[in-house]
Amino acid sequence: MIIRAILTGFRMHNSIFKNKSCNLPLAAICAIRNCNMRLNWMMFAALFGLITRKRSLFITVMVIYTRNVGLQFDGQAPFTPVGFSDADWGGCKLDRKSTSGYAFTMAGAAISWKSKKQGCVVCSSSEAEYMALAAAAQEAIWLRNLFQFTNSSCTVYQTPIMVDNQGAIKMARNDSSGTRTKHIDVQYHFVRDSLSKELFAINYCPTSEMTADILTKPLARSLLDRHKNKLGL
């Protein structure tokens, strides 16, 4: 394996593959292993920067690699925000914590986005999606207040948040707590309260059309290009 050969050459094999405290390099290695790409010199430099913790090298390489990438807004597209919320259930191989991701687009490009590992381990994909929805709901309310402060007409509409998990949607719309959801922390149940106040709306979105997937897991090239286009990149 080319990654193992490179690390062995730098005498970093044991520290990366056996030391569980090296989360960032291991995550980077796993992501590259899942991609069927040739490891050119630029990718190698970025990987070496992550392994050696030389952030300046990593940032420099990524800036050069993405110098032609930028957000392009469309003046003809609807000037209303649309949110996408997703989660990668148990995606971390070390602690099995999930990754939340959300993105809000307006006028054909992204205006807000976030990707973050969840703070606790959950027992189902619906719970992971529900926690991701809670983060997206907070951002939707913040954007609503921002538009209201700027006297924007966007505050007239409920901000739609697209979710690709029917279980999470039912948990958000159902006021009763069952035996499988009563352990979820109270901080996440404000989604129900905000939804009842019509501060945002939840709509179902097929997984193939879930733009926030790009923020939670490695994707095939075709899906990556599709979601990049939806984000206006």
Side-chain angles (χ1 to χ4, degrees):
M1 186 178 65
I2 187 170
I3 299 295
R4 187 181 296 272
I6 292 173
L7 295 176
T8 302
F10 284 99
R11 298 181 180 179
M12 296 180 181
H13 176 271
N14 292 333
S15 63
I16 298 302
F17 282 89
K18 294 183 179 180
N19 186 356
K20 295 185 178 182
S21 63
C22 300
N23 296 342
L24 182 59
L26 184 59
I29 292 169
C30 292
I32 293 179
R33 287 179 60 191
N34 291 334
C35 297
N36 295 324
M37 320 171 104
R38 293 187 61 185
L39 191 66
N40 56 32
W41 69 270
M42 193 167 292
M43 293 176 60
F44 171 76
L47 176 62
F48 181 73
L50 280 175
I51 293 173
T52 57
R53 305 287 179 170
K54 293 182 179 179
R55 294 186 178 181
S56 58
L57 175 62
F58 173 74
I59 293 174
T60 300
V61 171
M62 296 311 298
V63 168
I64 296 175
Y65 198 73
T66 60
R67 62 186 182 276
N68 296 324
V69 179
L71 294 173
Q72 297 181 358
F73 292 88
D74 184 2
Q76 305 299 323
F79 197 71
T80 54
V82 178
F84 297 87
S85 173
D86 191 44
D88 179 25
W89 178 42
C92 181
K93 303 300 183 182
L94 299 179
D95 53 17
R96 286 303 179 181
K97 291 181 180 179
S98 307
T99 301
S100 298
Y102 66 74
F104 287 84
T105 61
M106 176 185 288
I111 59 173
S112 177
W113 59 89
K114 184 177 183 180
S115 178
K116 183 179 180 181
K117 181 188 287 188
Q118 296 179 359
C120 60
V121 180
V122 294
C123 299
S124 68
S125 59
S126 296
E127 295 176 28
E129 296 275 359
Y130 189 58
M131 293 174 64
L133 176 59
Q138 294 180 56
E139 185 68 11
I141 295 173
W142 185 88
L143 290 173
R144 179 185 177 90
N145 294 335
L146 175 64
F147 295 140
Q148 187 174 11
F149 178 77
T150 58
N151 295 323
S152 173
S153 60
C154 299
T155 55
V156 177
Y157 308 97
Q158 297 182 37
T159 302
I161 301 178
M162 313 304 292
V163 181
D164 63 353
N165 187 284
Q166 294 284 9
I169 295 177
K170 292 180 180 178
M171 290 169 62
R173 292 177 177 173
N174 187 10
D175 292 334
S176 60
S177 297
T179 56
R180 297 186 62 182
T181 60
K182 63 181 181 180
H183 63 282
I184 298 178
D185 199 289
V186 176
Q187 62 176 319
Y188 300 111
H189 284 309
F190 87 96
V191 174
R192 298 175 179 174
D193 181 65
S194 301
L195 189 63
S196 65
K197 296 178 181 177
E198 299 184 351
L199 298 179
F200 59 88
I202 299 176
N203 299 325
Y204 175 74
C205 173
T207 302
S208 59
E209 301 297 328
M210 175 49 63
T211 304
D213 251 359
I214 197 173
L215 301 172
T216 60
K217 61 180 74 71
L219 299 175
R221 185 60 180 268
S222 58
L223 284 177
L224 180 65
D225 292 338
R226 180 191 302 177
H227 296 327
K228 281 175 56 181
N229 292 334
K230 287 186 177 181
L231 291 175
L233 294 173

